[in-house]
Amino acid sequence: MAREKGLKGMESRERLLAAAAEEFANRGFHETKVSTIVKRAGLTQPAFYLYFPSKEAVFDELVNAFRTRLHALIGSSRFEAQVEAQDVPKRVRMAVETFFRFLEATPHLTRIGLFLAPKAEEIKKELIALIAFNLSAEQQAGYFRSDLSMKTVAECLVGIVERLTLSQLLPGIKSPESLASQVVDLLLYGMLSMKHTSA
Amino acid sequence: MAREKGLKGMESRERLLAAAAEEFANRGFHETKVSTIVKRAGLTQPAFYLYFPSKEAVFDELVNAFRTRLHALIGSSRFEAQVEAQDVPKRVRMAVETFFRFLEATPHLTRIGLFLAPKAEEIKKELIALIAFNLSAEQQAGYFRSDLSMKTVAECLVGIVERLTLSQLLPGIKSPESLASQVVDLLLYGMLSMKHTSA
DNA sequence: AAGTAACATTACTCGTGAGTAATATCTCAT
DNA sequence: ATGAGATATTACTCACGAGTAATGTTACTT
């Protein structure tokens, strides 16, 4: 009764998931046909329904996979205790870099969970709240200007990440490192040239 | 032969356009049914095809309407000649504010042209290039740090605008003015508190 | 008042694509 | 080697929604 059970099935299921992820990411939900997914996975239509109750169900599963990984990432990359002021830029840069790397690692899931899903707005709202919380702590500690709303800053940061992910990261034009350093440089120090700033 | 010709027809057409804009903005292209559009416009299905060759055609017309207005806006809001250094923040803030007001004025078109359309990425690319061009001029003039890529800054700015438009502007949570001043404050001066910056 | 565009309707077609019923094969435990 | 569950297939159904054919009505021009 307990053989190497379900191995083949799991493999088929995984193939379907991978094919679905790619199709959804490239064509969106409606343009993606179940018939195409199964073709890519080397199966036929009814096999699909052996593993998923509906087309929506696969999509949701992919969205949830993204959400779960995202939460895992955030959970593991909490800001640690007291930091020296000089270290703040580096720490922020590293955090942003880690995030870009995460997005780059699973491009299909990123496209689905961050841009295609109806839930995407909700997911980003969670993300923003978390970032705002972390930034507020740094602000309390005196590292950031006290007249800025960290909620707004978090929104801006996420907006920037979204934009750059779509136009630079996913197309492979720029690396997580270079994007992170440019973004953080801009956000921490601002655009104005020093002579005007330090006046 | 030349009566008050086409008046009724134009009105029906406008009603269809308006209904389509609202439906597309709220439900997206595929979830929007021609049957729903015509119902909202107080007409029946074939009347729709009296004015538009297809569902796609209305969508495209709305996207183009957005694009056209956007280009008009940009064309009219060119940066003028030499500005005093102290005026730069104000001018930038005004430009961003104008842009937010533009987006707020036609929320449905904004949603369609900036977020729903397949062409949206292309439209943003154009926009970014234009902003980058303007910012580069200011940079040449010494107002902005010379070590920043204005192309990247433009991308960041657009990313921020996208995000805030979706989460704050269109839902009516914040005004164009407050959003513009917060965004520009952040981008020009950065997040770091002064004691660290001026070190 | 009558002819003619313009504007609109009722009643269809028809492709597409999600999902299913019935059936077949493969693989392992006994 | 055989029965049983797991894995897959062939051959459908069926709803939905875009687009159309045929026809009717309105309103203005002469």
Side-chain angles (χ1 to χ4, degrees):
Chain A
M1 208 157 282
R3 53 175 141 168
E4 197 54 277
K5 183 182 169 184
L7 211 174
K8 186 120 180 285
M10 285 311 284
E11 281 170 3
S12 294
R13 193 175 197 280
E14 289 305 316
R15 260 166 25 238
L16 286 168
L17 268 175
E22 185 161 350
E23 283 296 308
F24 283 137
N26 292 330
R27 315 203 184 293
F29 183 79
H30 282 281
E31 302 303 327
T32 294
K33 314 300 173 195
V34 173
S35 56
T36 309
I37 296 174
V38 295
K39 220 162 284 169
R40 287 188 91 104
L43 291 170
T44 56
Q45 191 116 348
F48 178 92
Y49 293 93
L50 218 53
Y51 300 106
F52 306 99
S54 70
K55 180 181 160 187
E56 275 221 320
V58 222
F59 188 80
D60 288 350
E61 182 161 333
L62 291 167
V63 174
N64 286 333
F66 177 77
R67 199 187 204 138
T68 301
R69 292 178 196 214
L70 180 62
H71 286 148
L73 178 83
I74 287 170
S76 73
S77 76
R78 272 277 151 59
F79 275 57
E80 279 115 60
Q82 300 310 83
V83 198
E84 291 301 313
Q86 305 97 299
D87 294 347
V88 169
K90 177 183 268 187
R91 295 192 72 80
V92 174
R93 201 194 68 227
M94 299 267 281
V96 174
E97 201 176 303
T98 300
F99 194 69
F100 273 125
R101 262 200 274 266
F102 164 79
L103 297 177
E104 193 190 37
T106 52
H108 298 149
L109 285 191
T110 293
R111 240 180 237 283
I112 292 168
L114 218 51
F115 302 108
L116 267 42
K119 276 186 189 171
E121 277 306 300
E122 188 192 326
I123 291 176
K124 286 173 202 162
K125 204 160 273 176
E126 291 171 10
L127 180 60
I128 287 165
L130 249 141
I131 293 174
F133 179 81
N134 283 343
L135 290 178
S136 290
E138 308 272 319
Q139 187 184 37
Q140 296 297 332
Y143 300 124
F144 301 142
R145 287 165 54 195
S146 56
D147 63 330
L148 285 174
S149 152
M150 289 300 115
K151 181 72 177 25
T152 301
V153 172
E155 296 227 38
C156 291
L157 177 56
V158 168
I160 291 172
V161 168
E162 283 185 80
R163 178 82 262 126
L164 294 177
T165 295
L166 225 40
S167 71
Q168 310 289 324
L169 185 72
L170 293 186
I173 296 171
K174 283 188 184 161
S175 68
E177 299 82 42
S178 87
L179 288 174
S181 84
Q182 286 183 88
V183 167
V184 172
D185 179 35
L186 173 63
L187 282 181
L188 291 185
Y189 300 105
M191 295 173 64
L192 289 182
S193 64
M194 289 314 173
K195 51 179 174 180
H196 300 116
T197 306
S198 56
Chain B
M1 211 157 284
R3 55 176 135 166
E4 196 56 277
K5 184 181 168 182
L7 211 172
K8 185 119 180 286
M10 285 312 282
E11 281 170 3
S12 293
R13 193 176 197 282
E14 290 305 316
R15 256 162 32 235
L16 284 168
L17 269 176
E22 185 160 350
E23 283 296 309
F24 283 137
N26 292 329
R27 315 200 184 294
F29 183 80
H30 282 282
E31 301 304 327
T32 294
K33 315 300 173 195
V34 173
S35 57
T36 309
I37 296 174
V38 296
K39 220 163 282 170
R40 287 187 90 106
L43 292 169
T44 56
Q45 192 115 347
F48 177 92
Y49 294 92
L50 219 53
Y51 300 107
F52 306 99
S54 70
K55 179 182 160 186
E56 274 220 321
V58 223
F59 189 80
D60 288 349
E61 183 162 333
L62 291 167
V63 173
N64 286 334
F66 178 78
R67 199 186 203 139
T68 302
R69 292 177 197 213
L70 181 62
H71 286 149
L73 178 83
I74 287 170
S76 74
S77 77
R78 272 277 151 57
F79 274 56
E80 279 116 59
Q82 301 309 82
V83 198
E84 292 299 315
Q86 306 97 303
D87 293 348
V88 169
K90 178 183 268 187
R91 295 192 72 78
V92 175
R93 199 192 70 226
M94 300 265 282
V96 174
E97 199 174 304
T98 300
F99 194 68
F100 273 126
R101 261 199 276 266
F102 164 79
L103 297 177
E104 192 190 37
T106 52
H108 297 150
L109 286 192
T110 294
R111 239 178 237 282
I112 291 168
L114 218 51
F115 301 107
L116 267 41
K119 276 186 190 172
E121 277 305 301
E122 188 192 326
I123 291 176
K124 286 174 203 164
K125 204 162 273 180
E126 292 171 11
L127 180 60
I128 287 165
L130 248 141
I131 292 173
F133 180 80
N134 283 343
L135 291 178
S136 291
E138 309 270 320
Q139 187 184 38
Q140 297 297 333
Y143 300 123
F144 300 141
R145 287 166 51 195
S146 55
D147 63 330
L148 284 174
S149 150
M150 288 300 117
K151 182 74 176 27
T152 301
V153 172
E155 296 227 39
C156 291
L157 177 55
V158 169
I160 291 172
V161 169
E162 284 184 78
R163 178 83 262 127
L164 294 177
T165 296
L166 225 40
S167 71
Q168 309 289 323
L169 186 72
L170 294 186
I173 296 171
K174 284 188 183 162
S175 70
E177 301 82 41
S178 86
L179 287 174
S181 84
Q182 286 182 89
V183 167
V184 173
D185 179 35
L186 173 62
L187 282 182
L188 291 185
Y189 301 104
M191 295 173 65
L192 288 182
S193 65
M194 289 315 171
K195 52 179 170 178
H196 300 119
T197 307
S198 57

